[in-house]
């Protein structure tokens, strides 16, 4: 539809019709078995039957047949036959589930993440969806916060690359094209900064920190044309994001140039009353509209109040027209006025979803996301040995994360199933060993917990399970222990004050260690965990996160050496929870406490080290890499005269492997303190045994720019340090200066 036709349509709409376009309700209210009957939660919404059938969008329902029926019924009733938008959390896969986002961050391969997003878009599109609430690009530093699993980590530069790649994967160049959907960057802004790692909690940041660390990843998505942004639940500068004019109009729209649809998070406008910022729903509607929020997710605050606010002269209808126009423009960008069903296709659903090609990509992505944290000669497994698999994830299908809300665990391949394809069953045993969680543990999850609640065994049964597993471990040459968090221990509303592997599993681990010292831990986790005991006792630790649909195959590929792990940590693993928040790009302080220096009055703990157990960018390989000292093409960077920093990487081991060569820079002295180091580049290099390759980074003036105290962005002359290595704690250093 042409813009002038959109304008004519807008002009012909009633005020209530426009207000209803700004309301989003749950799709379940419209499904055929509850058609139009405002029963249950819907009846609490405070919207009448008429408005109910004029909501501009729905969320949380998918399936080509169902959404086509809803669209048909909706458009017949909608006075101008405006199509409805269908939105869903397709976070890391639709039905083919890819590794959770933090695991995708560990690949240090944004392009791969883009491919995964593109496949997710295709499966979502044939299922009738138009918009996905993904990627979540919040910077994270606190492992207690359950939603770190949804981020790509603690570094602004890395997060920006993944944000860009995923938005482009979902949307392509033109979201009206087949198998593309609108992407939604979230949660604007700084949701990951929740105090004490407690979800929905207050965020207290200086504007400098907000801009320097948290905003760049949102900007990266906006710069490639993301169609939607979602507000965050938290306050920024004491004002809830969803009613924060400065954040939304001054920063998001004016400074960042975002002109797409701004949607609130789930009931976030209504929650500004609970925050103590809005007096009542009418006040919340007024403030959110003035902040420029276009869609009110899952409440009737807009639909039930905007008309009266206009009639009473409290808000201008112009603000509503702006919001509705952006919604109509998004529907138009998706081509819905021409084809309201877009790619919905029940037949294609059968052939596209979970097809072999998509499974193969899921297996590749999972294999590249695994991080080898420790290996004292046990991996890859010697297939002539007797192997005991012992742990609750040995034959568990729930390996797709709590945000794989459209995925089915039943589609997953378990470790045991995959192992039985390659291990000699005459020398291999499989035991669960213990429950996932103790019977005293209480889990809360989305909707039907049914199949997700771990099976509980009686004390006697648990005793027998343990004894059988320990006996098998005793007989084996090595024990592979798939253990870790339950998938509902991470994700939304799952903050944990203790970041440990569940105690019942640690008990199993200790019992096995008593009878066999050759333990390989395969770790399932949605967040960095306290791995002190596991790292000390196990001879090998492979972090597999929540690897997705093809997790079992990918894990066995890694255990047997078919895939050589190459993942690198996108988020620091703390020594213990007391060290949190911990991140590599910290400030030096006036009393830095360099490793190995014993001095009392330094910025340190008296009971633990400052350094994390495993640093950002860390990950081992089955081969050995050597990285030469840094060679600089010059000592001075000038405007327009960059310096090249070069290293030679050699595979000094016996098998092919991939190394992520990382470039870090420190601005030693500046008008505002600068992080002790910042990731400024990386390159993945795959080498055969004995092969070597030069890796070159160009250090130029734009790379040295930062946010200054006066809000400007620029570089300053002076001394810089540069490191090139295989993780953020590398000592491979050189020095240069920058002169204008
Ligand atoms: C949730 C989440 C958000 C999600 C939305 C819709 O509360 O915060 O990330 O997209 O609601 O499910």
């Amino acid at each position: 539809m042409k813009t002038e036709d959109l304008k004519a349509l807008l002009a012909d709409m009633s005020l209530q019709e426009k207000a209803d376009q700004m309301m989003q309700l749950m799709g379940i209210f419209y499904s055929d078995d509850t058609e139009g009957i405002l029963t249950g939660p819907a009846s609490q919404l405070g919207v009448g039957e008429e408005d109910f059938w004029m909501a501009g969008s729905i969320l949380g329902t998918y399936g080509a047949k169902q959404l086509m029926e809803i669209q048909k019924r909706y458009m017949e009733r909608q006075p101008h036959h405006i199509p409805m938008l269908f939105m869903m959390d397709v976070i890391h896969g639709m039905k083919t589930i890819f590794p959770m986002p933090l695991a995708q961050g560990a690949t240090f391969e944004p392009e791969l993440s883009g491919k995964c997003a593109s496949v997710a878009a295709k499966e979502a599109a044939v299922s009738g969806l138009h918009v996905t609430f993904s990627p979540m690009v919040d910077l994270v530093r606190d492992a207690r916060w359950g939603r770190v699993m949804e981020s790509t980590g603690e570094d602004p530069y890395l997060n920006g690359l993944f944000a860009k790649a995923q938005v482009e994967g979902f949307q392509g160049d033109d979201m009206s094209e087949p198998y593309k959907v609108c992407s939604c960057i979230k949660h604007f802004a700084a949701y990951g900064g929740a105090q004490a790692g407690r979800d929905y909690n207050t965020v207290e940041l200086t504007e400098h920190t907000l801009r320097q660390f948290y905003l760049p990843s949102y900007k990266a998505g906006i710069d490639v044309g993301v169609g939607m942004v979602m507000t965050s639940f938290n306050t920024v500068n004491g004002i809830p994001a969803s009613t924060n004019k400065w954040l939304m109009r001054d920063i998001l729209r004016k400074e960042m140039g975002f002109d797409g649809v701004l949607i609130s998070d789930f009931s976030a406008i209504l929650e500004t009353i609970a925050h103590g910022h809005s007096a009542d729903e009418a006040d919340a509607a007024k403030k959110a509209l003035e902040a420029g929020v276009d869609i009110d997710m899952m409440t009737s605050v807009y639909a039930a109040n905007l008309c009266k606010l206009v009639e009473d002269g409290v808000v201008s209808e112009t603000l509503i027209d702006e919001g509705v126009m952006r919604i109509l423009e998004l529907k138009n960008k998706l081509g819905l006025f021409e084809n309201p069903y877009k790619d919905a296709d029940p037949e294609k659903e059968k052939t596209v979803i979970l097809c072999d090609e998509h499974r193969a990509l899921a297996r590749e992505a999972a294999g590249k996301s695994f991080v080898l944290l420790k290996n004292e000669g046990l991996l890859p497994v010697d297939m002539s040995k007797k192997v005991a698999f012992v742990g609750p994830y040995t034959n568990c299908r729930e390996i797709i994360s709590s945000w794989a809300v459209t995925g089915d665990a039943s589609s997953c391949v378990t470790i045991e199933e995959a192992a039985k394809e390659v291990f000699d069953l005459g020398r291999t045993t499989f035991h669960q060993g213990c429950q996932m969680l103790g019977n005293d543990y209480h889990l809360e999850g989305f909707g039907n917990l049914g199949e997700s609640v771990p099976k509980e065994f009686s004390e006697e049964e648990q005793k027998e399970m343990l004894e059988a597993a320990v006996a098998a471990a005793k007989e084996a040459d090595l024990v592979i222990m798939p253990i870790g968090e339950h998938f509902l221990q991470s994700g939304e509303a799952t903050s944990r004050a203790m970041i440990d592997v569940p105690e019942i599993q640690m008990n199993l681990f200790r019992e096995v260690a008593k009878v066999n010292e050759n333990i390989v831990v395969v770790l399932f986790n949605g967040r960095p965990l306290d791995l002190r005991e596991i790292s000390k006792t196990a001879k090998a630790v492979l972090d597999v996160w929540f690897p997705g649909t093809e997790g079992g195959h990918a894990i066995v590929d890694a255990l047997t050496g078919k895939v050589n792990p190459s993942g690198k940590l996108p988020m620091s693993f703390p020594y213990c929870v007391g060290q949190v928040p911990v991140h590599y790009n910290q400030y030096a302080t006036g009393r830095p406490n360099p490793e190995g220096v014993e001095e009392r009055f330094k910025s340190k703990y008296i009971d633990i080290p400052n350094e994390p157990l495993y640093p950002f960018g860390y990950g081992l390989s089955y081969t050995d890499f050597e990285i030469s000292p840094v060679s600089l093409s010059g000592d001075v960077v000038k405007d327009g005269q960059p310096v090249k920093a070069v290293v030679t990487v050699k595979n000094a081991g016996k098998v092919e492997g991939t190394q992520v060569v990382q470039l870090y820079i420190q601005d030693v002295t500046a008008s505002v303190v600068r992080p002790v180091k910042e990731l400024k580049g990386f390159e993945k290099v795959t080498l055969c045994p004995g092969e070597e390759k030069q890796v070159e980074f160009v250090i130029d003036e734009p790379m040295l720019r930062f946010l200054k105290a006066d809000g400007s962005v620029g570089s300053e002359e002076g001394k810089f340090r540069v490191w090139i290595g295989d993780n953020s704690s590398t000592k491979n250093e050189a020095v240069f200066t920058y002169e204008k």
Side-chain angles (χ1 to χ4, degrees):
M1 192 185 267
K2 294 191 184 71
T3 302
E4 53 266 31
D5 297 334
L6 287 179
K7 287 179 179 170
L9 169 59
L10 179 68
D12 199 46
M13 291 167 73
S14 72
L15 182 55
Q16 186 61 51
E17 192 183 351
K18 289 188 274 191
D20 290 337
Q21 279 294 308
M22 301 174 89
M23 172 170 67
Q24 178 177 86
L25 298 177
M26 293 300 289
I28 193 153
F29 299 146
Y30 297 80
S31 51
D32 42 17
D33 51 348
T34 57
E35 177 192 342
I37 303 163
L38 286 176
T39 56
S43 63
Q44 315 304 317
L45 283 170
V47 288
E49 181 94 8
E50 192 51 34
D51 296 335
F52 178 79
W53 278 101
M54 289 218 279
S57 61
I58 59 175
L59 81 153
T61 290
Y62 63 89
K65 183 172 179 295
Q66 180 165 216
L67 288 180
M68 291 172 82
E69 284 169 5
I70 290 174
Q71 189 73 292
K72 182 173 180 297
R73 273 207 305 274
Y74 172 83
M75 288 178 71
E76 282 167 356
R77 299 176 72 140
Q78 213 286 335
H80 288 87
H81 313 299
I82 299 170
M84 196 183 233
L85 274 174
F86 299 135
M87 307 191 193
M88 186 83 214
D89 292 286
V90 180
I91 307 299
H92 54 104
M94 175 77 197
K95 287 293 181 184
T96 304
I97 303 299
F98 298 100
M100 66 181 213
L102 192 61
Q104 291 189 34
T107 67
F108 272 67
E109 199 169 319
E111 312 72 42
L112 178 62
S113 233
K115 287 179 191 166
C116 295
S118 182
V119 164
K122 184 171 186 179
E123 292 192 356
V126 298
S127 304
L129 292 170
H130 305 139
V131 180
T132 177
F133 299 130
S134 182
M136 184 267 221
V137 301
D138 302 313
L139 183 98
V140 294
R141 294 173 161 175
D142 194 322
R144 293 169 294 183
W145 194 50
R147 299 193 77 165
V148 301
M149 53 77 62
E150 240 182 301
S151 163
T152 48
E154 70 188 48
D155 182 75
Y157 171 74
L158 190 67
N159 287 349
L161 294 175
F162 275 95
K164 174 180 184 296
Q166 292 182 68
V167 169
E168 291 175 332
F170 283 122
Q171 296 189 167
D173 299 328
D174 173 355
M175 63 176 85
S176 69
E177 288 296 309
Y179 311 132
K180 291 302 173 189
V181 296
C182 174
S183 170
C184 176
I185 286 278
K186 66 187 186 182
H187 305 78
F188 198 76
Y191 181 27
Q195 276 182 344
R198 202 177 75 230
D199 210 349
Y200 317 123
N201 202 6
T202 303
V203 169
E204 277 303 327
L205 298 171
T206 62
E207 183 176 338
H208 181 85
T209 298
L210 174 71
R211 289 177 177 275
Q212 182 69 55
F213 290 99
Y214 286 82
L215 294 186
S217 52
Y218 306 108
K219 180 81 167 54
I222 290 161
D223 286 351
V224 292
V226 71
M228 186 175 286
V229 169
M230 184 185 294
T231 68
S232 59
F233 287 119
N234 54 284
T235 55
V236 175
N237 291 346
I239 298 176
S242 301
T243 47
N244 192 320
K245 263 177 91 172
W246 170 75
L247 186 64
M248 298 304 174
R249 288 203 184 269
D250 297 349
I251 292 189
L252 178 64
R253 293 210 186 270
K254 284 191 196 124
E255 272 186 41
M256 292 184 163
F258 177 64
D259 61 1
V261 171
L262 178 60
I263 188 169
S264 79
D265 201 339
F266 201 103
S267 74
I269 296 176
L270 179 64
E271 291 173 10
T272 59
I273 300 171
H275 271 289
H277 185 244
S278 299
D280 53 29
E281 291 192 21
D283 190 32
K286 170 182 179 295
K287 286 172 176 164
L289 184 71
E290 288 172 347
V293 179
D294 302 319
I295 297 179
D296 167 19
M297 185 191 289
M298 201 33 218
T299 76
S300 58
V301 169
Y302 269 6
N305 293 283
L306 288 180
C307 293
K308 188 168 186 318
L309 288 167
V310 170
E311 285 149 13
D312 295 350
V314 176
V315 298
S316 156
E317 185 166 357
T318 308
L319 291 181
I320 292 173
D321 288 349
E322 283 170 11
V324 175
M325 190 60 178
R326 287 190 284 260
I327 294 167
L328 296 177
E329 281 168 346
L330 176 57
K331 295 182 179 186
N332 200 37
K333 278 180 196 166
L334 285 158
L336 297 183
F337 286 103
E338 288 73 33
N339 173 9
Y341 306 111
K342 198 168 183 306
D343 303 304
D345 185 329
E347 286 315 303
K348 284 238 173 64
E349 277 180 308
K350 294 173 192 157
T351 55
V352 164
I353 284 176
L354 282 166
C355 64
D356 291 349
E357 181 193 345
H358 293 178
R359 279 186 174 268
L361 181 62
R363 184 168 181 168
E364 177 196 354
K368 288 183 172 179
S369 74
F370 299 159
V371 182
L372 184 61
L373 297 173
K374 181 179 180 183
N375 186 26
E376 289 173 355
L378 289 188
L379 292 177
V381 172
D382 175 346
M383 300 302 274
S384 69
K385 300 285 188 185
K386 285 180 70 176
V387 177
F389 285 84
V390 173
Y393 273 106
T394 298
N395 202 31
C396 175
R397 291 191 194 286
E398 276 148 10
I399 55 177
I400 55 176
S401 109
S402 62
W403 264 117
V405 292
T406 53
D408 304 302
S410 56
S411 309
C412 292
V413 178
T414 71
I415 292 174
E416 182 170 339
E417 287 167 340
K420 283 179 175 174
E421 293 170 11
V422 295
F423 279 78
D424 179 334
L425 300 186
R427 290 196 292 266
T428 310
T429 58
F430 303 89
H431 289 80
Q432 179 177 341
C434 71
Q435 292 180 173
M436 189 75 74
L437 297 169
N439 289 345
D440 56 340
Y441 208 97
H442 177 60
L443 278 176
E444 291 172 80
F446 296 113
N448 59 323
L449 255 177
E451 77 284 350
S452 303
V453 178
K455 179 171 168 31
E456 290 190 358
F457 295 89
S458 69
E459 291 305 316
E460 188 50 36
E461 286 170 327
Q462 292 188 58
K463 185 169 175 292
E464 286 166 11
M465 280 164 74
L466 182 62
E467 285 170 357
V470 172
K474 191 170 182 177
E475 292 307 305
D477 297 315
L478 85 148
V479 187
I480 297 174
M481 298 195 74
I483 58 176
E485 287 186 306
H486 186 276
F487 80 95
L488 287 175
Q489 286 184 286
S490 60
E492 185 168 356
T494 61
S495 298
R496 294 180 68 197
M498 269 70 81
I499 52 174
D500 309 315
V501 170
E503 186 56 22
I504 194 168
Q505 296 183 47
M506 288 308 295
N507 181 51
L508 172 67
F509 175 73
R510 295 177 191 116
E511 290 306 314
V512 167
K514 287 176 188 171
V515 300
N516 196 318
E517 62 179 8
N518 296 323
I519 296 177
V520 175
V521 165
V522 176
L523 182 73
F524 290 78
N525 53 314
R527 57 164 49 85
L529 295 177
D530 177 345
L531 296 180
R532 282 174 292 166
E533 183 178 351
I534 284 176
S535 295
K536 192 171 162 202
T537 306
K539 286 189 177 172
V541 182
L542 181 69
D543 193 340
V544 299
W545 315 98
F546 285 103
T549 306
E550 281 293 316
H553 279 138
I555 290 166
V556 169
D557 290 344
L559 291 174
T560 57
K562 183 177 176 187
V563 166
N564 181 357
S566 59
K568 298 287 185 178
L569 294 181
M571 190 176 176
S572 307
F573 271 51
Y575 183 83
C576 64
V577 73
Q579 203 180 60
V580 168
V582 60
H583 50 95
Y584 86 93
N585 46 4
Q586 57 183 340
Y587 295 138
T589 78
R591 296 195 172 185
N593 182 46
E595 263 185 280
V597 176
E598 273 300 310
E599 276 190 52
R600 182 176 176 194
F601 299 102
K602 294 292 182 184
S603 177
K604 70 178 192 313
Y605 304 94
I606 60 172
D607 51 356
I608 63 168
N610 279 14
E611 293 68 35
L613 190 66
Y614 296 111
F616 173 85
Y618 176 87
L620 302 176
S621 169
Y622 292 154
T623 192
D624 300 314
F625 286 101
E626 292 169 358
I627 298 179
S628 72
V630 179
S631 162
L632 297 179
S633 63
D635 297 333
V636 180
V637 171
K638 287 180 177 287
D639 295 358
Q641 293 176 36
V643 161
K644 289 179 183 173
V646 183
V647 293
T648 300
V649 185
K650 179 175 181 179
N651 180 343
K654 299 185 177 62
V655 294
E656 180 181 278
T658 299
Q659 179 60 277
V660 180
V661 184
Q662 302 155 46
L663 170 77
Y664 295 89
I665 285 181
Q666 180 192 22
D667 188 344
V668 176
T669 306
S671 54
V672 292
V673 295
R674 308 285 295 114
V676 293
K677 58 181 68 170
E678 294 176 285
L679 181 71
K680 292 290 185 181
F682 56 87
E683 184 176 328
K684 288 186 79 165
V685 180
T686 299
L687 300 174
C688 296
E691 187 182 2
E692 57 184 53
K693 182 185 177 199
Q694 277 208 340
V695 175
E696 177 183 294
F697 296 102
V698 175
I699 300 173
D700 57 12
E701 182 274 331
M703 194 185 271
L704 311 180
R705 294 176 188 165
F706 62 95
L707 178 68
K708 301 188 182 185
D710 63 3
S712 67
V713 173
S715 52
E716 292 175 359
E717 293 185 312
K719 179 182 172 185
F720 289 77
R721 289 196 176 93
V722 52
W723 295 265
I724 299 179
D726 60 2
N727 76 79
S728 59
S729 65
T730 178
K731 301 291 184 279
N732 195 24
E733 176 183 341
V735 173
F736 68 92
T737 55
Y738 162 61
E739 294 170 10
K740 292 230 181 263

